[in-house]
Amino acid sequence: MTMPYIEELTERFLRYIAVSSESNPKNPGVPSSEGQRDVARLLEGELRALGLEEVELNEHGILMAKLPANVEGAPAIGWVAHLDTVPVNLSPNVKPQILHYEGGDVCLNAEKDLWIREAEHPELKDYVGQDIVFTDGTSVLGADNKAAVANVMTMLSIVTRENRPHGDIRVAFVPDEEIGLRGSKLMDLNKFKVDFAYTVDCCGLGEIVWETFNAASVSVKITGVTAHPMSAKGVLVNPLLVGTDYINQFDRLETPENTENKEGYWWFTDCEANALECKLTMNIRDFDRTRYEERKAFVESAAQTIRAKYPRAKIETQVVDVYSNIADSLGDDRTPIDLLYTAAEELQIQTKTIPMRGGTDGSALSAKGLVTPNYFTGALNFHSNAEFLPLPSFHKSLEMTLKLLALTADRK
C-alpha cells in the first residue's frame, strides 16, 4: 500500500503533539491554557509561510486563515480543528512511539509495566501488520484533535505547492473544545464565510458523523441547616442527604454506563459538600430534541419534589445549553453530507455512519447556521492512555480531505 505524503503528515502530527495543550476546566477564560496559544502561534507562522491570507490570531486563541480560490464559482469550504487535548488526570506531556503491530498485547512502557491488552481492546486486531502511533502509557496521544490539525495543515501544504484546483478554503483552529466547545462558540462567522465546513474529530476509519447529542450542563446548590448533634433533632438539615435524595429522583438506568446508541442519559459528574452546602454537577444528553427539553424540565421538577420533603432546605438549579444536535440544523440541502459519502466511495472507503454520543465543534457551528458534519481521523480510544493512531487510517483521512476539495472544485 503506497501512502504519498505520509511522512509529512506524520511529522506534522508529532510536531504538534510535542506542544502540551490540555484545556483547563477550572479556568473560565478562553483559551483556558497557555499551551493552546502556543500551538496557535506555531500554526500561525506555518500558515503565513504557506502564503495564506487573512491570517488572524485573536485574543481568545482562535486562529483563522484563508486560501483564495483558483477556480471561479467553486463552493467555499471550511475546516475546523481544535487546539486542546482533554484533561483526564494523565501526564500533559505526550511521549509518542511508532510501533509495527504484529498482534497480541502491546507493551507501552516496560519500566512502568503499562500495556494495551488485546482482550480489553479487541479493536487492535483490525490493525495487524500496520505502523501505529501509540503513547508511552502515561498520557493521551492527542490525536483528538491534533491528527485533524496535521491533516488540514498537510492539505494546505499540498494544495499550495501543487496548485491543486479549489474554491475558497478557510481554516479555523479553536481552543477549548473539550470543555464545552468554548472556542467554536466564539467564532465570528462573518470572518469565516464558507458555504459549509467540516470537522475531522475522533473515530476509526470510515466513520462519518452528522448526528450528535443535544447537551446541557446542570448545577444544583443545596443549602441545609447546621446544628450541633446534641440539639440537632428537628433542626439539622443535612445537605448531603438532601443531595442524595435529589440524585435518587433520576432513573438509575438512564446513565452513561446503562445506555448506548441513540439513548439519552443523565450523568452526575461532581459533588462538593460540607455540613452546610452540597453542590451537584450533572450532564444531560439526548438526541431527540423533545426528550432533551423534557429532561431539562425534570431538573426543576425533581427539585420541587425535594423542596416539599425538606421545606427548610434551599435548593437552586441552573441549566445551561452546551451544544445541539447537528441533524437539527440541516435544511433541504445535504450537500456537505452527500460529499462525504461520495468522497469515501471514490476512495473505496467503507463508511460507517454513527450518531455521536458526544459533540463536536460542528455542533456549535451548525446551531449558528453553518452546517458542519464530521469525518474520521482514523484514531481510536480517545481520552485514554490506550489512544492510538494507525498510520494507514490517518492517511485515508488526509485522502478524504483532498478528495472533498477535488469534488467541490468540480461543482463550479
Side-chain angles (χ1 to χ4, degrees):
M1 177 183 178
T2 59
M3 295 189 292
Y5 315 115
I6 190 61
E7 290 185 6
E8 178 183 358
L9 180 65
T10 305
E11 186 276 330
R12 284 185 182 276
F13 175 63
L14 296 178
R15 181 162 74 245
Y16 301 148
I17 63 174
V19 183
S20 175
S21 60
E22 285 187 352
S23 45
N24 178 6
K26 294 183 179 180
N27 180 3
V30 180
S32 66
S33 60
E34 192 60 28
Q36 295 181 79
R37 202 183 298 274
D38 292 340
V39 179
R41 291 192 188 103
L42 171 62
L43 297 174
E44 179 186 20
E46 294 183 4
L47 290 168
R48 293 188 187 279
L50 288 172
L52 270 72
E53 300 179 1
E54 301 179 27
V55 180
E56 178 184 318
L57 176 58
N58 72 11
E59 70 275 17
H60 294 299
I62 299 170
L63 174 63
M64 294 189 191
K66 174 187 177 182
L67 183 63
N70 59 15
V71 175
E72 185 177 351
I77 184 170
W79 274 271
V80 181
H82 63 88
L83 300 164
D84 60 322
T85 57
V86 65
V88 286
N89 297 315
L90 293 169
S91 171
N93 301 310
V94 180
K95 297 178 181 178
Q97 54 185 326
I98 300 176
L99 304 176
H100 188 73
Y101 181 57
E102 295 291 356
D105 299 340
V106 179
C107 181
L108 299 178
N109 191 317
E111 179 182 354
K112 297 185 177 182
D113 195 30
L114 299 175
W115 294 72
I116 298 181
R117 303 292 183 183
E118 186 182 74
E120 298 171 357
H121 296 281
E123 65 277 1
L124 279 167
K125 296 177 182 178
D126 294 332
Y127 303 98
V128 172
Q130 297 187 16
D131 288 340
I132 301 176
V133 189
F134 294 97
T135 72
D136 72 341
T138 64
S139 72
V140 300
L141 178 60
D144 179 10
N145 193 222
K146 289 175 182 173
V149 176
N151 181 323
V152 172
M153 292 299 296
T154 304
M155 173 271 290
L156 291 171
S157 176
I158 293 168
V159 169
T160 53
R161 72 172 177 260
E162 296 182 6
N163 195 30
R164 293 196 180 192
H166 60 86
D168 280 348
I169 301 172
R170 290 187 183 269
V171 295
F173 301 100
V174 300
D176 294 325
E177 188 265 1
E178 298 288 2
I179 54 174
L181 318 184
R182 294 181 188 177
S184 53
K185 289 178 179 178
L186 292 173
M187 277 180 61
D188 183 354
L189 295 188
N190 291 319
K191 296 182 177 180
F192 197 72
K193 294 182 178 179
V194 294
D195 294 297
F196 48 84
Y198 294 103
T199 56
V200 191
D201 198 354
C202 101
C203 310
L205 176 64
E207 294 190 0
I208 290 174
V209 174
W210 49 268
E211 286 185 276
T212 59
F213 272 141
N214 296 292
S217 64
V218 177
S219 59
V220 181
K221 180 180 178 182
I222 300 166
T223 305
V225 179
T226 60
H228 193 285
M230 73 172 65
S231 55
K233 186 170 182 178
V235 178
L236 178 69
V237 178
N238 187 335
L240 284 80
L241 297 181
V242 177
T244 299
D245 284 355
Y246 182 81
I247 292 172
N248 286 336
Q249 296 291 301
F250 295 80
D251 190 339
R252 184 64 180 80
L253 295 179
E254 294 187 16
T255 58
E257 63 271 31
N258 290 304
T259 54
E260 61 183 351
N261 300 324
K262 298 183 77 169
E263 297 171 333
Y265 60 73
W266 328 90
W267 184 17
F268 283 91
T269 60
D270 196 19
C271 176
E272 298 180 17
N274 54 43
L276 178 62
E277 290 183 344
C278 177
K279 297 179 181 179
L280 303 173
T281 302
M282 179 175 67
N283 291 338
I284 292 175
R285 300 290 186 267
D286 214 298
F287 286 93
D288 181 82
R289 188 75 195 186
T290 299
R291 179 62 180 148
Y292 171 66
E293 296 296 337
E294 291 173 351
R295 288 183 185 277
K296 290 198 298 181
F298 186 74
V299 169
E300 179 58 23
S301 175
Q304 292 284 31
T305 299
I306 299 303
R307 289 189 188 105
K309 184 176 181 178
Y310 299 96
R312 293 189 301 123
K314 182 180 179 182
I315 304 173
E316 303 168 85
T317 65
Q318 182 181 40
V319 181
V320 177
D321 290 311
V322 179
Y323 57 82
S324 58
N325 189 344
I326 293 173
D328 292 339
S329 302
L330 298 178
D332 295 331
D333 185 1
R334 296 173 59 91
T335 297
I337 294 171
D338 293 340
L339 284 169
L340 285 172
Y341 293 102
T342 301
E345 182 179 7
E346 293 193 9
L347 293 169
Q348 298 183 322
I349 297 172
Q350 184 175 353
T351 60
K352 179 182 179 182
T353 305
I354 61 170
M356 180 183 282
R357 292 179 62 80
T360 67
D361 284 314
S363 303
L365 295 174
S366 296
K368 295 169 73 169
L370 177 59
V371 176
T372 309
N374 180 80
Y375 58 98
F376 63 93
T377 62
L380 297 99
N381 298 333
F382 294 108
H383 296 198
S384 79
N385 69 341
E387 183 181 7
F388 67 88
L389 177 60
L391 291 184
S393 299
F394 190 22
H395 183 258
K396 284 294 184 183
S397 178
L398 173 63
E399 286 191 318
M400 280 284 289
T401 303
L402 294 169
K403 179 61 71 172
L404 289 166
L405 269 184
L407 291 171
T408 52
D410 288 340
R411 296 177 68 89
K412 56 185 178 178

